[in-house]
Amino acid sequence: MSRIPGLVIAHGTVVNSSGRRNAHVVVRDGRIEQLIDAAEPVPAAERTVDATGRLVVPGGVDGHCHVAQVTGRFRTLDDYRTTSTAALWGGTTTIIDFGIPRDAQETPLAAVLHKKELARESRCDVALHGAVVSWDETVPWQLEQLAAEGVRSVKMYTTNRGTTMADGDTILKVMREMVRLDGLTYIHAEHDPIISDCTQQHADDGRIGIGHLHRTRPELAEEISVRETLAMAEYTNAPVYFVHQSTPGAVDMVTEARARGQEAYSETCPHYLTLDDTVYGSEFPEWYACCPPMRSPETVAALKVRLAGGAIHTVSSDHSCYDLSQKRERTDDVRAMPHGLPGVETRMPVTFTAMASAGSSVEDFVEVFAAGPARINAVPGKGIIAEGFDADLVIFDPAEERTVDGAALHMGTDFSPFDGRTLTGWPAVVVSAGRVVLDSDGFHDPGAVGRFVARTGFREHLASAAVSVAASTPVTVSAAK
């Protein structure tokens, strides 16, 4: 058995959310064995990758993906092989998918176990969220079983009446159970009565096609739902995580709740940082069908200010892989068309470009791209480049520009909402569990080697993560930008 490590990333600038240092990263058996000061000789290894002049950051953790998702009569066109491959192409080495019941007959536990079985084909590591639509006497037991499986978060929708929506009683009861199980409550926050009424008014006026999507789901609906949910979380003492926040008002409510001592978190998505509601007047408005919809240019600018100021804790893709034929079936009626955008592969460059334009540091980017999602979602071994952590690494040149070609991406669909945009922050080398899966020679399919990652308790993990962050903080921080 060889005594030399399998891989060394040499002469890179290693950037964690806590700081940076010039170092050689030594990898053995899928884990980071050692960080050696770059002034020291490069140790011998089976393979050495020269990262001179480039940044080395933790592999991305995408906390919000929908793989092989069935919603009504639509099913996303991907599977775990496709989406995990696209994730690796985009510098993401861990995805967190949702086990959402497909109909009233599928239980929360069955939905998660089904996704766990599908995930055997994954090329990258996978964790899962559960989901509850309606309460019955079996739900506490099912949530206990999910926790035993390492699924420590549950998503609920405050809208989508008749399909995935959970009523207020269900949300409150699930929050109590998640406190008991040391878990995290995920919320899609949009006020259903407002959206239903607003949508019906637009339908009555004949303004229900895709060009009017942004007017059928107003900012107020999101913000009222966030306020109500925060009140329930405060009442139950439940940690709460809001997915895809699209307005500064929603983010500010979470910030105010945190100032009062609540454990509350804001997630946004790359499209809410870069696209605005003028896209619904473009040649292809169906490219941008998602909920919440894109907001006004002023709202987008204010959301970026919140991100640059640290008020937003994670940026996730909300990846949903429909193609244009599905999108175009009912562009005449937003109630009948599938909503969701492909984005797992472009999350890194879109987020990096948006943050750089707002003056954020690379450390800030690492926080929302990898460290924050891993810490908040209690994913062990991820999000930090430090001894003992998984060898999930991305090497890139922050000055390199590429233009998005939606047809050349690998997500299993035929478009990207970012098509034609010039972005920085594209991965040059990706290492997943110690394997080089992307380099200048292209993608090297590792096979179905992705592991299911069992997550620990929310508060338990935060306590241990604080120690890990302290250990990863460099003694000497390079002045390089």
Side-chain angles (χ1 to χ4, degrees):
M1 182 176 179
S2 174
R3 296 181 58 84
I4 65 172
L7 177 67
V8 168
I9 307 297
H11 296 295
T13 299
V14 174
V15 186
N16 282 309
S17 62
S18 56
R20 64 181 72 186
R21 61 180 291 193
N22 296 321
H24 312 306
V25 184
V26 181
V27 174
R28 186 191 300 272
D29 298 329
R31 292 187 178 272
I32 298 168
E33 182 178 72
Q34 192 177 9
L35 269 68
I36 301 172
D37 191 275
E40 299 296 322
V42 178
E46 294 176 12
R47 179 173 181 180
T48 300
V49 176
D50 184 10
T52 300
R54 294 185 288 181
L55 304 181
V56 185
V57 300
V61 178
D62 192 339
H64 188 165
C65 290
H66 296 279
V67 184
Q69 182 65 52
V70 177
T71 304
R73 67 186 184 85
F74 291 103
R75 182 198 184 279
T76 58
L77 298 178
D78 59 342
D79 54 23
Y80 273 96
R81 175 174 182 167
T82 300
T83 297
S84 62
T85 296
L88 292 171
W89 270 99
T92 289
T93 51
T94 304
I95 60 174
I96 311 182
D97 185 21
F98 294 85
I100 300 173
R102 290 169 286 184
D103 51 40
Q105 283 67 53
E106 186 171 43
T107 66
L109 178 59
V112 165
L113 294 178
H114 174 67
K115 282 295 188 77
K116 189 175 178 181
E117 183 65 26
L118 295 181
R120 293 178 182 274
E121 293 300 313
S122 184
R123 271 57 183 161
C124 71
D125 289 350
V126 176
L128 288 170
H129 306 289
V132 174
V133 176
S134 60
W135 181 268
D136 63 47
E137 68 277 4
T138 71
V139 170
W141 174 82
Q142 291 189 65
L143 295 178
E144 289 175 1
Q145 298 305 303
L146 290 179
E149 291 280 344
V151 177
R152 305 297 285 258
S153 54
V154 168
K155 182 179 183 180
M156 288 174 288
Y157 293 78
T158 65
T159 190
N160 301 338
R161 191 180 310 181
T163 55
T164 57
M165 177 181 167
D167 63 25
D169 289 339
T170 296
I171 292 172
L172 196 70
K173 290 174 181 177
V174 170
M175 281 182 169
R176 281 207 178 105
E177 291 301 311
M178 297 312 287
V179 171
R180 179 174 69 87
L181 297 169
D182 194 14
L184 180 62
T185 300
Y186 261 55
I187 296 290
H188 173 132
E190 290 185 285
H191 192 272
D192 191 74
I194 291 176
I195 289 173
S196 295
D197 184 75
C198 188
T199 301
Q200 187 60 52
Q201 288 190 44
H202 279 77
D204 292 344
D205 292 341
R207 297 179 294 121
I208 199 62
I210 181 59
H212 301 282
L213 174 62
H214 56 303
R215 299 185 180 95
T216 66
R217 307 180 86 95
E219 293 185 18
L220 178 64
E222 181 175 346
E223 293 171 6
I224 289 297
S225 185
V226 169
R227 187 178 299 279
E228 288 184 353
T229 303
L230 282 169
M232 287 191 281
E234 183 174 11
Y235 176 67
T236 58
N237 194 33
V240 61
Y241 178 110
F242 292 95
V243 298
H244 51 51
Q245 291 199 309
S246 67
T247 79
V251 174
D252 289 347
M253 289 178 197
V254 172
T255 299
E256 291 161 7
R258 290 176 62 83
R260 297 193 301 269
Q262 279 190 255
E263 294 170 297
Y265 300 92
S266 291
E267 169 199 280
T268 195
C269 303
H271 40 283
Y272 298 124
L273 298 169
T274 54
L275 303 173
D276 61 57
D277 60 14
T278 60
V279 298
Y280 298 114
S282 68
E283 183 180 2
F284 302 113
E286 66 274 13
W287 289 14
Y288 311 102
C290 61
C291 298
M294 309 311 169
R295 303 301 190 185
S296 70
E298 296 77 16
T299 294
V300 172
L303 194 68
K304 285 178 67 174
V305 170
R306 302 310 191 273
L307 178 62
I312 296 173
H313 303 97
T314 69
V315 179
S316 302
S317 68
D318 193 7
H319 175 77
S320 297
C321 187
Y322 301 105
D323 72 359
L324 290 176
S325 66
Q326 292 172 303
K327 293 281 189 182
R328 288 170 176 162
E329 278 189 37
R330 292 300 306 273
T331 56
D332 63 309
D333 191 336
V334 297
R335 298 169 298 182
M337 67 185 301
H339 293 274
L341 307 178
V344 70
E345 188 171 353
T346 51
R347 182 177 70 109
M348 179 175 177
V350 178
T351 303
F352 185 85
T353 301
M355 295 187 73
S357 71
S360 299
S361 68
V362 182
E363 287 84 350
D364 294 335
F365 165 74
V366 169
E367 173 63 21
V368 300
F369 176 69
R375 183 177 64 254
I376 295 166
N377 287 291
V379 185
K382 307 294 184 181
I384 300 175
I385 300 177
E387 293 179 10
F389 278 70
D390 290 351
D392 297 336
L393 307 162
V394 179
I395 303 172
F396 74 105
D397 177 354
E400 180 189 0
E401 294 184 340
R402 302 184 202 170
T403 299
V404 179
D405 177 358
L409 296 174
H410 308 87
M411 292 182 283
T413 185
D414 52 359
F415 79 104
S416 166
F418 308 107
D419 193 68
R421 289 178 174 259
T422 299
L423 306 172
T424 58
W426 295 87
V429 177
V430 177
V431 178
S432 179
R435 304 176 185 89
V436 177
V437 295
L438 180 70
D439 59 17
S440 59
D441 294 327
F443 184 71
H444 309 282
D445 187 349
V449 297
R451 300 164 295 185
F452 174 75
V453 182
R455 294 150 61 202
T456 55
F458 169 77
R459 290 178 172 133
E460 173 192 355
H461 186 79
L462 285 188
S464 63
V467 176
S468 298
V469 169
S472 70
T473 301
V475 176
T476 302
V477 178
S478 167
K481 293 295 285 183

